Amino acid sequence: MAALLRDAARSLAPSGRLALSYRDLTRPLSYPKLRIGPAWLMERCRDAGLHAEHTGDGPRGLHVLTATKS
């Protein structure tokens, strides 16, 4: 995920925007899944040079995050 965010940041024009939607699967599950929590994702965005502008709940249990290239 960190590599994906770095690639996205490199590909964006200055002030370009990235929009992500995902499910928070940090709760215990009976099968393996990529577990991404909102705080972790915001931190990885910062590490990649992106400024998280909005994070919130979307439809049907999705989380939405928008970030801009710093």
Side-chain angles (χ1 to χ4, degrees):
M1 190 69 197
L4 174 68
L5 292 170
R6 285 192 304 271
D7 288 347
R10 272 195 302 272
S11 299
L12 287 172
S15 300
R17 184 168 292 161
L18 174 68
L20 302 170
S21 63
Y22 63 99
R23 293 196 190 281
D24 180 358
L25 298 176
T26 55
R27 68 190 191 289
L29 299 172
S30 61
Y31 52 93
K33 285 281 187 178
L34 180 61
R35 296 170 190 248
I36 300 172
W40 183 90
L41 185 56
M42 289 180 68
E43 193 172 317
R44 297 295 79 74
C45 282
R46 280 192 295 272
D47 293 347
L50 299 167
H51 172 71
E53 295 178 333
H54 170 79
T55 185
D57 295 330
R60 296 182 306 276
L62 290 175
H63 289 280
V64 177
L65 179 136
T66 59
T68 302
K69 185 173 182 175
S70 302

